[in-house]
Amino acid sequence: MSELALDTAEGRIIDLRRETAAASLLPRGKAGGRYRCCACGKELIFSGPATPQSSFTPRFRHDGAEPGLDRCGAPAAHQADIQADLTVILDLRDQLLNALPRAAVYLQIAPHRAGQRWELPPALIIRHNDQVVVIERPRRPLTKATADARLQHVRTTYGERSTHWWFFDHDDAQQYLAAGTVKVRPHGKPDTHHKVRPTAVQRQLVQAGGAVCWITSGTVFIPYGGHPGAYPALEGEDWSGEMASWAKDWKISHPYPADNAAWWGLVPLSLLTLGQHTGFCPAPAFALMSALEKAQHGREAHRRNLAREHAQRAASTQRTSTKPVVPPAETPAAPLPVPPGAPAAPAAPTSATAEQQPIPPRPTLPPPTPPRDVRPQHGRFSWRSLLPRRWHR
């Protein structure tokens, strides 16, 4: 840790690896006890190069009269823990310096915290004009007491108008519980957002007015609230049967998740874009959330229209099923065969009146009478019968 020291004069952390100009700006030696070890809290001596051309590597060392006594006496695990905390928060500072080239970004710490084991690393302070942004970078699971103390400290020190951000490690499974994904269509373009279930302390931070996000490399994930539910049926709607699954949907709460959100959706955003807006505001993420809400209203209107159509189809089917059934008209009997020699039946009338009247059945003919066997009668022969009729006198 020879490159790190707590500067009691300015209340900040000095990192000689990142601040190349510090070697020529800082006073060398003990400087009246100005430099303190972050791990053990003892005074440090700054050893810098004698000339700008010197190849001597500047460093902080402990005051020891004997060889080997200029090393930190804190336990190795404590030193490693402090070193890791400061490395993570200072890496974030480097990224923010690129995003906010005109802002002052520095790591601030109270002098009395030198040598203490902190639950929460020192905060990053961003000052731009009259705006103050405080950024926390927790490495361990955060307790409610620690969060409350830091919230109160920021309000007291920087005022109610300051913006308080909490950056959690997106690659640390202790900082959230994965909850799957959600399909979204902002601006009509399909996309997939990851869902998380935040810790109780993270919900508390949002309720207290803080801004929570997750970070990995140069990407931050801004959360919005997800509220699953079902559409209540309005007059003229039918959500039964095939429409039951369409009634289930979710709604969004933003720009910060509401208290009763079942899960938080994450909008990915480049860290560099945060510095392009006043107040360190993730405006692109907020604009996308507004697009999600607009799509939500359109989705509800579409589904309710389907529910109304479903109700109309169901009503039409019911009317059809309850309509009285009219028996079909009797089919006239087929005509009987007409015996040879019988008179033809009269033709049916062709007028409109005749067509509307039922056709009477064809009369049934009596069975034909067989011809009688007429045999000639043999009477007495007379010549008179052979004479012409006029002679019969």
Side-chain angles (χ1 to χ4, degrees):
M1 297 185 59
S2 60
E3 71 280 355
L4 294 171
L6 192 156
D7 186 355
T8 59
E10 299 182 3
R12 66 185 185 93
I13 301 294
I14 301 173
D15 185 356
L16 296 176
R17 293 174 305 176
R18 292 174 168 83
E19 301 178 43
T20 56
S24 58
L25 298 176
L26 294 175
R28 287 178 292 179
K30 292 184 178 181
R34 178 175 178 175
Y35 314 115
R36 295 292 184 90
C37 177
C38 297
C40 68
K42 293 184 178 180
E43 295 183 2
L44 297 176
I45 301 173
F46 176 55
S47 300
T51 62
Q53 293 77 22
S54 174
S55 59
F56 178 80
T57 301
R59 66 186 184 92
F60 295 103
R61 63 181 181 84
H62 289 74
D63 187 10
E66 299 179 6
L69 294 180
D70 62 341
R71 297 178 182 177
C72 180
H78 179 60
Q79 293 187 51
D81 207 23
I82 295 293
Q83 179 86 36
D85 280 348
L86 294 178
T87 298
V88 169
I89 192 68
L90 289 172
D91 285 345
L92 179 58
R93 186 196 65 173
D94 293 344
Q95 292 177 297
L96 292 174
L97 284 172
N98 293 329
L100 305 164
R102 294 186 298 273
V105 185
Y106 55 92
L107 189 61
Q108 192 162 19
I109 183 174
H112 70 272
R113 298 187 65 188
Q116 297 181 4
R117 185 187 183 279
W118 51 58
E119 295 294 333
L120 190 61
L124 274 177
I125 309 301
I126 303 176
R127 291 186 178 274
H128 182 64
N129 298 329
D130 59 345
Q131 299 175 351
V132 178
V133 180
V134 181
I135 298 180
E136 311 284 358
R137 186 68 168 85
R139 271 190 63 244
R140 289 170 289 279
L142 197 60
T143 64
K144 185 178 185 299
T146 302
D148 286 341
R150 185 58 64 89
L151 286 168
Q152 184 59 42
H153 171 75
V154 169
R155 292 193 193 99
T156 303
T157 307
Y158 303 102
E160 295 289 344
R161 296 186 60 184
S162 60
T163 306
H164 201 173
W165 278 83
W166 299 75
F167 282 62
F168 293 91
D169 190 352
H170 185 266
D171 300 325
D172 187 355
Q174 300 181 92
Q175 303 294 2
Y176 63 91
L177 181 64
T181 58
V182 59
K183 300 291 185 180
V184 296
R185 293 181 64 88
H187 309 294
K189 298 178 180 179
D191 198 1
T192 301
H193 288 169
H194 288 278
K195 300 189 300 183
V196 300
R197 290 189 173 87
T199 65
V201 178
Q202 289 166 346
R203 291 181 182 271
Q204 169 197 343
L205 293 172
V206 172
Q207 294 171 12
V212 172
C213 68
W214 284 263
I215 184 171
T216 177
S217 300
T219 303
V220 293
F221 297 88
I222 312 298
Y224 57 85
H227 307 259
Y231 295 122
L234 302 179
E235 184 179 358
E237 296 178 352
D238 183 5
W239 296 91
S240 62
E242 61 185 11
M243 287 299 301
S245 61
W246 288 81
K248 299 178 181 179
D249 202 359
W250 65 277
K251 294 185 178 181
I252 185 176
S253 61
H254 67 96
Y256 304 108
D259 299 347
N260 60 343
W263 45 264
W264 290 5
L266 302 181
V267 178
L269 189 66
S270 172
L271 181 63
L272 294 177
T273 61
L274 290 177
Q276 298 175 0
H277 302 273
T278 303
F280 200 70
C281 175
F286 292 168
L288 189 141
M289 294 175 192
S290 297
L292 290 179
E293 184 177 18
K294 183 177 180 181
Q296 165 193 305
H297 296 321
R299 189 170 62 248
E300 179 179 357
H302 172 68
R303 293 189 181 191
R304 288 195 179 279
N305 184 50
L306 294 179
R308 287 191 293 270
E309 292 178 356
H310 185 228
Q312 293 171 2
R313 288 195 302 270
S316 176
T317 302
Q318 185 178 7
R319 285 195 300 269
T320 304
S321 62
T322 57
K323 184 177 181 181
V325 179
V326 179
E330 294 184 359
T331 305
L336 296 176
V338 181
T350 58
S351 64
T353 306
E355 290 180 358
Q356 295 177 0
Q357 298 178 354
I359 302 176
R362 183 186 299 273
T364 305
L365 298 179
T369 304
R372 291 183 302 174
D373 186 11
V374 181
R375 297 180 180 182
Q377 298 180 358
H378 299 280
R380 186 177 176 177
F381 178 78
S382 175
W383 286 104
R384 187 176 177 149
S385 60
L386 298 176
L387 294 177
R389 188 174 184 81
R390 63 179 180 267
W391 291 353
H392 292 179
R393 293 181 176 178

